[in-house]
Amino acid sequence: MTTPIQPSAFSIGSVDAQRVEDAFSLIAPKWTTWSAQTLAQQGHPLRVRDVAARLPFVSEQLVGKRLAQMHADGLVTRADDRHGAPYQLSAFGESLSSVHRTLSDWSQSNLSLGGKVAGAERVEDAVRRLHLRHSTAVIQVLDAGGPTRFVHSAEEAGLDNGFTRQRLNRLQVDGLSPVPDRATATPTS
């Protein structure tokens, strides 16, 4: 009789915070998720106007700018460089599907967005909350040591007290960090 394999415990402290922030930088710009998912759903190259037609709440000009940036970042490719050439997801862009699914599932389980929300909107909301400079480092400190003073959190994350306070306040507003008690929240020298 075999014993089921237990999944290893995952700790946020085991990830490279800078790599997380770099990854979020690629997918954080508004409409990147919507554009990528539109291209994925169609399964064939689309011109800017065709992507924009499927995203009626975004201007064609903005879709064009987003796709151009996604092209520069390697998320989409074009058959050639002529004006109006269609875009399609690159292999790198296609790899976002598992990231999008994970972020959407996490959002569904942990964030209250109210009402029925599209998966792409869930992903963009989750990324907006998580993609703040040095947030991953601050979350890692909190995960490793639990409640602590701002000054200790800042020191561990390699940040100044004021910046750490801003990050923690934003994480609390977004529901990603518990509200500290007064004794641990006050910066001290």
Side-chain angles (χ1 to χ4, degrees):
M1 180 171 178
T2 61
T3 305
I5 298 173
Q6 297 295 320
S8 63
F10 174 78
S11 168
I12 188 81
S14 67
V15 301
D16 181 336
Q18 187 58 54
R19 289 182 65 89
V20 170
E21 289 190 17
D22 291 347
F24 277 138
S25 291
L26 285 175
I27 63 175
K30 188 82 170 147
W31 310 118
T32 299
T33 299
W34 286 95
S35 298
Q37 288 187 4
T38 298
L39 289 168
Q41 288 169 354
Q42 297 307 305
H44 57 82
L46 295 174
R47 298 184 189 286
V48 171
R49 70 174 175 260
D50 298 326
V51 175
R54 289 165 176 80
L55 302 173
F57 40 86
V58 186
S59 73
E60 187 173 323
Q61 182 180 15
L62 188 55
V63 170
K65 287 180 181 180
R66 178 58 41 234
L67 288 170
Q69 184 59 53
M70 291 171 69
H71 184 257
D73 291 338
L75 296 172
V76 297
T77 61
R78 298 180 87 174
D80 57 54
D81 290 328
R82 66 183 162 78
H83 181 71
Y87 290 92
Q88 66 185 22
L89 287 175
S90 65
F92 182 44
E94 288 175 358
S95 72
L96 289 177
S97 66
S98 63
V99 173
H100 287 164
R101 191 174 320 105
T102 299
L103 285 167
S104 182
D105 291 348
W106 177 81
S107 172
Q108 182 75 35
S109 298
N110 296 289
L111 304 175
S112 174
L113 299 182
K116 186 173 176 161
V117 178
E121 186 61 27
R122 284 198 170 282
V123 170
E124 289 202 352
D125 179 71
V127 170
R128 179 191 58 77
R129 293 172 191 246
L130 296 168
H131 181 249
L132 295 169
R133 196 167 150 245
H134 302 301
S135 289
T136 304
V138 172
I139 291 169
Q140 286 176 323
V141 168
L142 292 173
D143 185 58
T148 186
R149 296 182 180 275
F150 278 110
V151 69
H152 297 130
S153 296
E155 186 177 294
E156 284 293 315
L159 306 171
D160 76 15
N161 291 349
F163 191 85
T164 303
R165 179 190 304 268
Q166 289 175 333
R167 220 22 95 237
L168 286 168
N169 286 340
R170 177 63 188 270
L171 290 167
Q172 289 168 5
V173 166
D174 285 342
L176 301 175
S177 172
V179 177
D181 67 36
R182 211 85 173 114
T184 61
T186 308
T188 60
S189 307

